[in-house]
Amino acid sequence: MEKLKSKIVKCILLVITVVITGKVNIVRVEATNIFEGESFSQRFDYYDPNTMEIADGWSNGSMFNCTWRNSNVRFNNGSMNLFINNDVSGSLTRYSGAEVRTQQYFHYGMYEVKMKPIKNDGVVSSFFTYTGPTDGTPWDEIDIEFLGRDTTKVQFNYFTNGEGDHEYVYDLGFDASNTSHTYGFDWQKDHITWYVDGNPVYTATKDIPTHAGKIMLNVWPGTGVDDWLKPFDGKTPITAQYDYMSFKKSASTSQQTSGYINWETDAAWDQYLLEKDNSATTVYRHNRKDQWAYLTGKLSNQVTNPKKYRMKLNFIEGNILALTVKVRDIYGNEQEIGQVSYSDYEKGMKEFELPVDYVGKISQIILMINSNPNQLDLRYDADCRVEILDAGLSN
């Protein structure tokens, strides 16, 4: 998309100064000032120059139809308001916008903002991470962008080494310009998951950015991108409200562990397919004529990128033909990971392992049991469980 190609000016012009002679001085900053703490939280009661910096007196150019002005950043009643306004007389641009960024760079972790965007054709209100050649790094960026043309939707995007075309537009189900909501993204080595009001709504897994970036917030009117933003009508002043932003560092990604389902407490048969026996032992009874029974085990922790499953099941009655194993991710999507065959009339404990190459967070395991249409009983005791091996765990 043309708008993405033109967005490269953000990479080139973020920290340049145009002097009277018309020459351009590029100030290069090595991205070594990386945040080392566990968490960072910035409420917007006032401007803190130790943690934030405000852009002033320069423009990204291209599709950014504004000059950044520090006068467009105002703090009031615990919120930071970013304005789009008419620019000063003699400026190279007709309008002025607002941009704030952190002093430090941030890497893998959970990013969040509480904000209320501008509702107006032709403008963008955003929250994102960015680093680029002016920081001594490739252009990496992760975006949350509200297009003022329709604030019932939010656009997610990211750039890796300057390559974009990863836009995803999510329908919020409400108008974000009416009241403040929380938006965020969890950035990990192998995926980015975006959140709305604490709920995961979209995950990307391809070509994920790797370089730490500054946290940035800005509002600006566009030019030459009417197909994307609609034409800006020149209405000023207009403002977006930001209540806070935060960052929580990821746990060590090198820590690998295992987890398992306790079938006594964590498993549940589909109530429309099977009945649980009320005897002292845990027995599930299957009388379906279509042969398939379903058992769902809910993990106490979300399992990230599992590599192997080890299962032990005890079939005490019935003709078991096969067992299919599926996983369900945190968004309800299901994927089959393997099938185990049984001999007819085989009973007793069955133990097996399934290798799997799965990228994502798993919250449930589903067993689909294929039997003959007569009664099938399965007993679960302390020895019957599913182990997830070579995977990371998260709450």
Side-chain angles (χ1 to χ4, degrees):
M1 295 176 65
E2 188 63 32
K3 69 179 182 62
L4 292 179
K5 294 178 182 177
S6 62
K7 198 171 181 181
I8 197 168
V9 295
K10 185 183 292 184
C11 171
I12 300 173
L13 297 172
L14 264 175
V15 286
I16 69 172
T17 304
V18 180
V19 296
I20 296 175
T21 60
K23 296 180 181 180
V24 177
N25 295 329
I26 300 181
V27 182
R28 296 196 174 274
V29 181
E30 295 294 330
T32 56
N33 186 22
I34 297 178
F35 179 76
E36 298 292 345
E38 294 300 316
S39 63
F40 168 82
S41 180
Q42 182 71 63
R43 301 201 68 85
F44 295 123
D45 300 300
Y46 59 92
Y47 171 55
D48 184 354
N50 294 315
T51 59
M52 296 185 291
E53 53 184 325
I54 299 175
D56 185 46
W58 55 274
S59 173
N60 285 24
S62 188
M63 66 179 176
F64 293 79
N65 190 19
C66 66
T67 298
W68 305 120
R69 299 293 181 189
N70 59 11
S71 58
N72 286 344
V73 181
R74 306 174 193 176
F75 297 84
N76 185 44
N77 294 327
S79 297
M80 178 177 68
N81 296 305
L82 301 186
F83 285 83
I84 294 173
N85 220 324
N86 292 319
D87 204 6
V88 297
S89 177
S91 173
L92 296 177
T93 60
R94 181 176 178 181
Y95 303 104
S96 60
E99 181 172 87
V100 175
R101 56 184 176 265
T102 56
Q103 295 280 5
Q104 290 187 292
Y105 297 80
F106 295 78
H107 214 174
Y108 300 121
M110 180 68 189
Y111 296 75
E112 189 172 77
V113 66
K114 186 174 184 181
M115 63 176 290
K116 183 170 63 174
I118 298 171
K119 184 182 184 70
N120 198 90
D121 286 351
V123 304
V124 175
S125 310
S126 69
F127 173 77
F128 60 102
T129 59
Y130 170 83
T131 188
T134 49
D135 304 308
T137 67
W139 174 14
D140 280 4
E141 178 177 337
I142 304 173
D143 294 310
I144 295 175
E145 296 177 309
F146 289 92
L147 313 185
R149 63 183 291 177
D150 185 359
T151 48
T152 65
K153 298 178 175 63
V154 60
Q155 178 175 286
F156 307 134
N157 195 13
Y158 63 99
F159 293 78
T160 303
N161 198 19
E163 295 295 326
D165 290 325
H166 299 116
E167 302 103 318
Y168 179 83
V169 177
Y170 176 72
D171 192 337
L172 294 167
F174 57 82
D175 190 336
S177 69
N178 288 338
T179 187
S180 292
H181 290 263
T182 58
Y183 309 91
F185 53 85
D186 181 21
W187 174 24
Q188 302 297 330
K189 288 184 177 180
D190 56 2
H191 71 276
I192 308 166
T193 297
W194 282 266
Y195 289 76
V196 175
D197 287 331
N199 299 308
V201 297
Y202 178 68
T203 296
T205 59
K206 295 181 179 179
D207 301 323
I208 302 303
T210 60
H211 294 88
K214 290 188 175 184
I215 304 174
M216 304 185 67
L217 314 92
N218 65 22
V219 297
W220 50 275
T223 182
V225 284
D226 293 352
D227 289 344
W228 181 39
L229 303 181
K230 287 189 174 182
F232 180 48
D233 59 8
K235 179 182 178 181
T236 59
I238 47 180
T239 181
Q241 177 180 310
Y242 294 81
D243 299 325
Y244 72 82
M245 64 180 179
S246 66
F247 166 81
K248 184 177 181 181
K249 191 176 183 180
S250 296
S252 173
T253 54
S254 63
Q255 181 179 2
Q256 298 293 311
T257 184
S258 299
Y260 67 90
I261 293 174
N262 181 344
W263 293 106
E264 295 281 347
T265 59
D266 299 332
W269 287 105
D270 186 321
Q271 61 178 326
Y272 299 108
L273 297 181
L274 294 103
E275 298 177 354
K276 181 176 179 179
D277 193 304
N278 290 322
S279 60
T281 57
T282 305
V283 177
Y284 293 91
R285 184 155 293 156
H286 166 47
N287 293 296
R288 294 276 295 181
K289 292 183 178 180
D290 61 6
Q291 298 186 349
W292 286 102
Y294 297 81
L295 177 67
T296 300
K298 183 178 181 181
L299 296 170
S300 57
N301 294 283
Q302 294 175 5
V303 178
T304 304
N305 305 336
K307 299 300 181 185
K308 186 187 296 183
Y309 293 84
R310 178 183 295 149
M311 301 192 183
K312 296 176 71 174
L313 303 173
N314 190 4
F315 299 91
I316 61 175
E317 191 65 51
N319 302 329
I320 297 91
L321 303 179
L323 184 144
T324 298
V325 183
K326 290 185 174 183
V327 292
R328 180 179 291 154
D329 67 18
I330 56 178
Y331 313 108
N333 302 312
E334 294 181 7
Q335 177 177 316
E336 182 177 325
I337 62 169
Q339 189 174 92
V340 180
S341 297
Y342 285 76
S343 301
D344 286 352
Y345 308 108
E346 182 178 1
K347 301 177 185 178
M349 185 70 74
K350 184 73 174 179
E351 183 174 1
F352 56 90
E353 289 187 356
L354 284 177
V356 58
D357 186 13
Y358 186 94
V359 176
K361 290 186 177 181
I362 304 304
S363 61
Q364 293 180 329
I365 294 176
I366 303 168
L367 307 183
M368 298 174 58
I369 301 165
N370 189 354
S371 70
N372 282 342
N374 58 333
Q375 178 175 306
L376 167 66
D377 287 353
L378 299 93
R379 175 181 290 139
Y380 295 94
D381 52 36
D383 291 329
C384 297
R385 67 182 188 177
V386 175
E387 290 183 297
I388 301 92
L389 307 177
D390 301 324
L393 293 184
S394 59
N395 293 323

